[in-house]
Amino acid sequence: MLPVDPARFLDDLNDLRRFGASGVGKGVSRPAFTEPDIAARDWLASRMAEAGLTPHFDPVGSLFGLAEGRSLLMGSHSDSQPEGGWLDGALGVIAALEVARAAREAGGPPVSVVSFEDEEGRFGVTTGSSVWAGNQTLEGADALVDPAGHRFADMRAAFGDRRGDFVDPTRFSGFVEMHIEQGPVLDSTGGTLGVVEAIVGIRDMHMSFGGQQNHAGTTPMALRKDAFQALAAFNGLLQERFANVVAPSTVWTIGHVALHPNAASIVPGRVRFSMQWRDGDTDRLARMEEIIRRTAEEVAAARGMTLDFGPMLGLDPVTMDAGLRGALERAAEAEAPGAWRVMPSGALHDSTNVARLMPVAMLFVPSIGGISHDFAEDTAEADLVSGLNCLARAVAALD
Ligand code: HGY
Ligand code: MN
Ligand code: MN
């Protein structure tokens, strides 16, 4: 096993947490291209250089720490959700850095490190790795707009002349990403490590209902074209119509709702909302899309209201590479005998995109209480170290 240094690893993890520290527990707010995100990447670049790696920003702000010649790529993302945890993405980046350092100290194998930009999708869906992998064109990404109306093209310009070209993916033999589970399975079963078998697919879009803004006191209910009521009816019908299509693991979320004008005494005339759904089966994702579109059209027509669909972004389910996964399984058995399992990922990860370019595999550590995308996200330190040791074992075995 490579001579990883848990104290150095934990110190870097805690240093990274300083950038965008939310002041609530260990939480961070470090969305893509914000000042804390850029400062964190500059700090990561310096740590990569100190580790003997060549820091390289690509055109969208993804940061690579490059080893010479052909190498194994490891990493994740260091941007966060607006209310994010200190480990989502950051754990994979810092663990990769520590394995890369230990590998150099041990005389090999060469390991490169990456922190992808905008994995959390302030603009799209895993935008940085999606562009690198060709799942999204740079022109397409540049046209993306965040909820506040900022354009991706303008925001990525903040990296200025730090940016170089896209890194040639053929210099890497594969990609290994460690990540917190972000779900309840390992935590509730007392597991220490999860070896991922597959990552679910996702569909994500915004929709709008347009009605008639009016007085909340004088407008009879029967005459209203109330955008909130349209959304409520749409959501109610979805639950019914999904019933015989979805599986127990299927998820769907309306996480962002903007009512206009969002005032207590005004019948809302417009609502724009996010519609996101995930499943391990591409056909099921397509059937759900058909139900979503048809149901929204019915609701709008029945109320004499307008309906707009924004562009739909999506990624299909991906299966992990058998060889890399096998190395993680053997390392997990050595590190935590009987305390690991093979499991799917209900969360999306950069590995989904990188799988288009090279073999990928993922390792999970538990999330306390299954909590993530929340300031309260956390993992026991002993589990963080077990994950690092497992990576160190696997990378040594891959050499
Ligand atoms: O939403 C996700 O699955 C990822 O954490 N961005
Ligand atoms: Mn993540
Ligand atoms: Mn996340």
Side-chain angles (χ1 to χ4, degrees):
M1 148 173 171
L2 298 176
V4 287
D5 178 341
R8 181 172 62 182
F9 157 69
L10 292 169
D11 283 350
D12 274 350
L13 257 188
N14 281 299
D15 282 352
L16 179 51
R17 179 158 61 90
R18 284 185 294 110
F19 296 94
S22 68
V24 179
K26 297 179 178 177
V28 297
S29 183
R30 201 168 55 221
F33 307 112
T34 57
E35 184 281 328
D37 172 55
I38 294 171
R41 289 174 189 274
D42 284 336
W43 173 79
L44 280 169
S46 69
R47 294 301 278 160
M48 288 169 172
E50 287 164 30
L53 302 170
T54 302
H56 179 96
F57 285 95
D58 82 359
V60 299
S62 292
L63 170 63
F64 290 77
L66 297 171
E68 304 81 17
R70 192 158 170 74
S71 62
L72 175 70
L73 181 64
M74 301 179 73
S76 189
H77 61 93
S78 55
D79 63 293
S80 83
Q81 285 285 333
E83 293 196 6
W86 71 298
L87 294 170
D88 180 352
L91 172 63
V93 174
I94 298 299
L97 181 60
E98 180 52 36
V99 171
R101 283 190 290 234
R104 288 182 77 83
E105 287 157 6
V111 172
S112 295
V113 177
V114 63
S115 168
F116 288 111
E117 182 60 286
D118 198 28
E119 187 281 342
E120 294 291 4
R122 171 183 170 188
F123 289 90
V125 172
T126 60
T127 319
S129 57
S130 183
V131 171
W132 187 52
N135 279 331
Q136 166 82 271
T137 63
L138 181 56
E139 296 66 34
D142 273 344
L144 293 172
V145 176
D146 77 354
H150 300 107
R151 289 179 67 250
F152 185 81
D154 301 331
M155 299 288 58
R156 72 182 177 90
F159 281 105
D161 58 9
R162 292 177 188 77
R163 293 171 295 169
D165 295 330
F166 286 107
V167 172
D168 176 2
T170 61
R171 69 184 289 155
F172 304 122
S173 57
F175 179 61
V176 176
E177 179 175 11
M178 176 156 82
H179 205 284
I180 50 173
E181 178 201 333
Q182 301 184 289
V185 173
L186 291 174
D187 183 61
S188 61
T189 58
T192 300
L193 298 171
V195 177
V196 176
E197 57 192 332
I199 303 172
V200 297
I202 190 172
R203 298 291 182 266
D204 190 287
M205 65 179 172
H206 273 77
M207 302 165 61
S208 299
F209 284 114
Q212 177 60 55
Q213 181 171 323
N214 213 327
H215 193 293
T218 57
T219 311
M221 296 306 280
L223 298 184
R224 291 185 179 197
K225 294 184 178 181
D226 180 330
F228 174 78
Q229 294 301 334
L231 174 54
F234 167 72
N235 184 57
L237 285 169
L238 271 195
Q239 309 315 318
E240 289 169 28
R241 295 179 179 179
F242 276 174
N244 54 11
V245 169
V246 298
S249 59
T250 311
V251 292
W252 59 98
T253 312
I254 296 176
H256 174 258
V257 176
L259 267 183
H260 181 85
N262 211 24
S265 294
I266 301 178
V267 176
R270 195 168 65 246
V271 64
R272 181 173 186 269
F273 59 97
S274 60
M275 185 75 233
Q276 184 191 96
W277 59 107
R278 308 187 194 201
D279 191 82
D281 179 332
T282 306
D283 290 341
R284 181 174 287 118
L285 291 170
R287 288 206 303 280
M288 292 172 77
E289 177 188 353
E290 195 280 325
I291 291 170
I292 287 163
R293 293 184 185 277
R294 176 165 41 83
T295 302
E297 280 155 2
E298 274 179 35
V299 166
R303 286 162 171 74
M305 294 172 69
T306 61
L307 165 64
D308 289 298
F309 292 108
M312 185 178 78
L313 295 173
L315 291 169
D316 286 341
V318 293
T319 303
M320 299 294 97
D321 173 75
L324 288 178
R325 181 184 138 182
L328 287 176
E329 289 177 9
R330 289 185 292 277
E333 181 57 24
E335 178 60 25
W340 66 279
R341 66 171 55 212
V342 173
M343 58 192 291
S345 173
L348 200 59
H349 298 289
D350 291 308
S351 288
T352 294
N353 290 309
V354 181
R356 198 157 182 263
L357 301 172
M358 62 191 79
V360 307
M362 288 197 73
L363 179 70
F364 280 167
V365 292
S367 293
I368 296 172
I371 301 294
S372 183
H373 283 191
D374 184 291
F375 290 144
E377 171 189 291
D378 204 357
T379 298
E381 202 169 85
D383 290 338
L384 296 175
V385 174
S386 290
L388 175 71
N389 289 339
C390 181
L391 290 181
R393 293 175 188 276
V395 171
L398 286 169
D399 187 9

